[in-house]
Coordinates of all heavy atoms in Angstrom, one line a residue:
I1081 N -127.4 -16.9 83.7 CA -127.1 -18.1 84.5 C -127.6 -19.3 83.6 O -126.9 -20.4 83.6 CB -128.0 -18.0 85.8 CG1 -127.6 -16.9 86.5 CG2 -127.7 -19.5 86.6 CD1 -126.1 -16.7 86.9
I1082 N -128.7 -19.2 83.0 CA -129.2 -20.2 81.9 C -129.6 -19.6 80.8 O -130.2 -18.6 80.7 CB -130.4 -21.0 82.7 CG1 -130.1 -21.8 84.0 CG2 -131.1 -22.0 81.6 CD1 -131.2 -22.2 84.6
D1083 N -129.1 -20.2 79.5 CA -129.5 -19.7 78.3 C -130.0 -20.9 77.3 O -129.0 -21.6 77.0 CB -128.5 -18.8 77.7 CG -128.9 -18.2 76.3 OD1 -130.1 -17.9 76.3 OD2 -128.2 -18.0 75.4
I1084 N -131.2 -21.1 77.2 CA -131.7 -22.2 76.4 C -132.4 -21.6 75.2 O -133.3 -20.8 75.3 CB -132.8 -23.1 77.2 CG1 -131.8 -23.8 78.4 CG2 -133.4 -24.0 76.4 CD1 -132.8 -24.6 79.3
V1087 N -134.8 -25.4 71.9 CA -134.5 -26.7 72.4 C -135.6 -27.7 72.1 O -136.7 -27.5 72.5 CB -134.0 -26.8 73.8 CG1 -134.1 -28.3 74.5 CG2 -132.5 -26.4 74.0
L1097 N -140.0 -32.2 74.7 CA -139.8 -30.8 74.8 C -139.9 -30.1 73.4 O -139.3 -30.7 72.4 CB -138.5 -30.4 75.4 CG -138.4 -30.7 76.9 CD1 -137.0 -30.2 77.4 CD2 -139.5 -30.0 77.8
W1102 N -135.5 -20.3 77.0 CA -135.6 -19.7 78.4 C -134.4 -19.2 78.7 O -133.3 -19.9 78.5 CB -136.1 -20.8 79.3 CG -136.3 -20.4 80.8 CD1 -136.6 -19.3 81.2 CD2 -136.0 -21.4 81.9 NE1 -136.6 -19.4 82.7 CE2 -136.2 -20.7 83.0 CE3 -135.5 -22.7 82.0 CZ2 -135.9 -21.2 84.3 CZ3 -135.2 -23.1 83.2 CH2 -135.5 -22.4 84.4
V1104 N -132.3 -17.3 82.1 CA -132.3 -16.7 83.6 C -131.1 -15.9 83.7 O -129.9 -16.2 83.5 CB -132.2 -18.0 84.6 CG1 -132.0 -17.5 85.9 CG2 -133.4 -18.9 84.4
V1112 N -140.8 -22.5 88.2 CA -141.3 -23.3 87.1 C -142.7 -24.0 87.2 O -142.6 -24.9 88.2 CB -140.1 -24.3 86.5 CG1 -140.8 -25.0 85.2 CG2 -138.9 -23.6 86.2
K1120 N -141.7 -30.2 82.9 CA -140.8 -29.5 84.0 C -139.5 -30.4 84.3 O -138.4 -29.8 84.3 CB -141.6 -29.2 85.2 CG -142.9 -28.4 85.2 CD -143.5 -28.1 86.4 CE -143.8 -29.2 87.4 NZ -144.8 -30.1 86.9
T1121 N -139.8 -31.6 84.5 CA -138.6 -32.4 85.0 C -137.7 -32.7 83.8 O -136.5 -32.6 84.0 CB -139.0 -33.8 85.6 OG1 -139.9 -33.6 86.7 CG2 -137.9 -34.6 85.8
S1122 N -138.2 -32.8 82.5 CA -137.4 -32.9 81.4 C -136.5 -31.7 81.2 O -135.3 -31.8 80.9 CB -138.2 -33.2 80.2 OG -139.0 -34.4 80.3
L1123 N -137.2 -30.6 81.4 CA -136.3 -29.3 81.3 C -135.3 -29.3 82.3 O -134.2 -28.8 82.1 CB -137.2 -28.1 81.5 CG -136.7 -26.8 81.3 CD1 -136.1 -26.5 80.0 CD2 -137.7 -25.6 81.6
L1124 N -135.6 -29.6 83.5 CA -134.5 -29.6 84.5 C -133.4 -30.6 84.3 O -132.2 -30.3 84.4 CB -135.1 -30.1 86.0 CG -136.0 -29.1 86.7 CD1 -136.3 -29.8 88.0 CD2 -135.3 -27.8 86.9
N1125 N -133.7 -31.7 83.6 CA -132.7 -32.6 83.3 C -131.9 -32.1 82.0 O -130.6 -32.5 82.0 CB -133.3 -33.9 82.9 CG -133.7 -34.8 84.0 OD1 -133.3 -34.5 85.2 ND2 -134.8 -35.7 83.8
I1126 N -132.4 -31.2 81.3 CA -131.6 -30.6 80.2 C -130.6 -29.6 81.0 O -129.5 -29.5 80.7 CB -132.5 -29.8 79.3 CG1 -133.3 -30.8 78.5 CG2 -131.7 -28.8 78.4 CD1 -132.5 -31.5 77.3
V1127 N -131.1 -28.8 81.9 CA -130.4 -27.7 82.6 C -129.1 -28.4 83.4 O -128.0 -28.0 83.3 CB -131.2 -27.0 83.5 CG1 -130.3 -26.1 84.5 CG2 -132.2 -26.2 82.8
T1128 N -129.4 -29.6 84.0 CA -128.4 -30.3 84.6 C -127.5 -31.2 84.0 O -126.5 -31.7 84.3 CB -128.9 -31.2 85.8 OG1 -129.9 -31.9 85.5 CG2 -129.6 -30.1 86.9
G1129 N -127.8 -31.3 82.6 CA -127.0 -32.2 81.7 C -127.3 -33.6 81.8 O -126.4 -34.3 81.2
Y1130 N -128.3 -34.0 82.5 CA -128.6 -35.4 82.3 C -129.5 -35.9 81.1 O -129.5 -37.1 80.9 CB -129.4 -35.8 83.7 CG -128.5 -35.8 84.9 CD1 -128.6 -34.7 85.9 CD2 -127.4 -36.7 85.2 CE1 -127.7 -34.5 86.9 CE2 -126.5 -36.7 86.3 CZ -126.7 -35.5 87.1 OH -125.8 -35.6 88.2
N1131 N -130.1 -34.9 80.5 CA -130.6 -35.2 79.3 C -129.8 -34.2 78.2 O -129.7 -33.0 78.7 CB -132.0 -34.8 79.1 CG -133.0 -35.9 79.9 OD1 -132.5 -36.9 80.2 ND2 -134.3 -35.4 80.2
Y1132 N -129.6 -34.7 77.1 CA -128.9 -33.8 76.1 C -130.0 -33.4 75.0 O -130.7 -34.3 74.5 CB -127.6 -34.5 75.5 CG -126.7 -33.6 74.9 CD1 -125.7 -33.1 75.8 CD2 -126.7 -33.2 73.5 CE1 -124.8 -32.3 75.2 CE2 -125.7 -32.4 73.0 CZ -124.7 -31.9 73.9 OH -123.9 -31.0 73.3
P1133 N -129.9 -32.0 74.7 CA -131.1 -31.8 73.7 C -130.9 -32.4 72.3 O -129.8 -32.6 71.8 CB -130.9 -30.3 73.5 CG -129.4 -29.9 74.0 CD -129.0 -31.1 75.0
V1138 N -127.8 -24.9 74.3 CA -127.9 -24.7 75.9 C -126.6 -24.2 76.4 O -125.5 -24.8 76.2 CB -128.2 -26.1 76.5 CG1 -128.4 -26.1 78.0 CG2 -129.6 -26.6 76.0
T1139 N -126.6 -23.2 77.2 CA -125.5 -22.8 78.0 C -126.0 -22.6 79.5 O -126.9 -21.9 79.7 CB -124.9 -21.5 77.4 OG1 -124.5 -21.6 76.1 CG2 -123.6 -21.0 78.3
V1140 N -125.3 -23.2 80.4 CA -125.6 -23.1 81.9 C -124.4 -22.8 82.6 O -123.3 -23.4 82.5 CB -126.2 -24.4 82.4 CG1 -126.5 -24.4 83.9 CG2 -127.5 -24.8 81.7
L1141 N -124.4 -21.7 83.4 CA -123.2 -21.3 84.1 C -121.9 -21.0 83.2 O -120.9 -21.7 83.6 CB -122.9 -22.2 85.3 CG -124.0 -22.3 86.3 CD1 -123.8 -23.4 87.4 CD2 -124.3 -20.9 87.0
T1143 N -121.3 -22.6 80.6 CA -120.9 -24.0 80.1 C -121.8 -24.3 78.9 O -123.0 -24.5 79.1 CB -120.9 -25.1 81.2 OG1 -120.2 -24.8 82.2 CG2 -120.6 -26.4 80.5
F1145 N -123.1 -26.6 76.1 CA -123.3 -27.9 75.9 C -122.6 -28.3 74.5 O -122.8 -27.6 73.5 CB -124.7 -28.5 75.9 CG -125.3 -28.5 77.2 CD1 -124.8 -27.6 78.2 CD2 -126.2 -29.3 77.5 CE1 -125.4 -27.8 79.5 CE2 -126.9 -29.5 78.7 CZ -126.4 -28.6 79.8
I1150 N -119.6 -31.1 81.2 CA -120.8 -31.1 81.8 C -120.7 -31.6 83.5 O -121.1 -30.9 84.3 CB -121.9 -32.1 81.2 CG1 -122.0 -31.6 79.8 CG2 -123.2 -32.0 81.9 CD1 -122.7 -30.1 79.7
M1153 N -119.6 -28.6 85.4 CA -120.7 -27.7 85.6 C -121.6 -28.2 86.7 O -122.1 -27.4 87.6 CB -121.5 -27.6 84.3 CG -122.7 -26.8 84.4 SD -124.0 -27.1 83.1 CE -124.6 -28.8 83.6
R1154 N -121.8 -29.5 86.8 CA -122.8 -30.0 87.7 C -122.3 -29.7 89.2 O -123.1 -29.7 90.1 CB -122.9 -31.5 87.6 CG -123.8 -31.9 86.4 CD -124.3 -33.4 86.5 NE -124.7 -33.8 85.2 CZ -124.1 -34.8 84.5 NH1 -123.1 -35.3 84.9 NH2 -124.6 -35.1 83.2
I1157 N -124.0 -26.8 90.8 CA -125.4 -26.8 90.8 C -125.8 -27.8 92.0 O -125.2 -28.8 92.1 CB -126.0 -27.4 89.5 CG1 -125.6 -26.5 88.4 CG2 -127.6 -27.5 89.6 CD1 -126.1 -27.1 86.9
V1159 N -129.1 -29.7 93.8 CA -130.4 -30.2 93.4 C -131.0 -30.8 94.6 O -130.4 -31.7 95.2 CB -130.4 -31.2 92.3 CG1 -131.7 -31.6 91.8 CG2 -129.8 -30.5 91.0
L1242 N -126.2 -22.3 91.4 CA -127.6 -22.6 91.0 C -128.1 -23.6 91.9 O -127.6 -24.6 92.0 CB -127.7 -23.0 89.5 CG -128.9 -23.3 88.8 CD1 -129.9 -22.1 88.9 CD2 -128.8 -23.9 87.4
I1244 N -131.6 -25.9 92.5 CA -132.8 -26.3 91.9 C -133.6 -27.1 93.0 O -133.1 -28.1 93.6 CB -132.6 -27.2 90.6 CG1 -131.9 -26.3 89.6 CG2 -133.9 -27.8 90.3 CD1 -131.4 -27.3 88.5
I1275 N -134.0 -21.9 91.4 CA -135.1 -22.5 90.4 C -136.1 -23.3 91.3 O -135.6 -24.3 91.8 CB -134.5 -23.2 89.3 CG1 -133.4 -22.5 88.6 CG2 -135.6 -23.7 88.2 CD1 -133.9 -21.2 87.8
L1292 N -141.9 -19.3 85.0 CA -142.0 -20.0 83.6 C -143.1 -20.8 83.7 O -143.3 -21.7 84.5 CB -140.7 -20.7 83.4 CG -140.7 -21.6 82.1 CD1 -140.5 -20.9 80.9 CD2 -139.5 -22.7 82.3

Side-chain angles (χ1 to χ4, degrees):
I1081 305 301
I1082 297 172
D1083 187 28
I1084 292 175
V1087 160
L1097 295 177
W1102 177 38
V1104 174
V1112 179
K1120 303 188 304 296
T1121 298
S1122 298
L1123 179 60
L1124 287 187
N1125 286 337
I1126 293 284
V1127 169
T1128 53
Y1130 289 106
N1131 288 342
Y1132 202 86
V1138 179
T1139 298
V1140 178
L1141 298 174
T1143 302
F1145 285 27
I1150 301 300
M1153 176 200 75
R1154 288 196 196 112
I1157 301 175
V1159 179
L1242 180 62
I1244 298 172
I1275 306 296
L1292 172 77

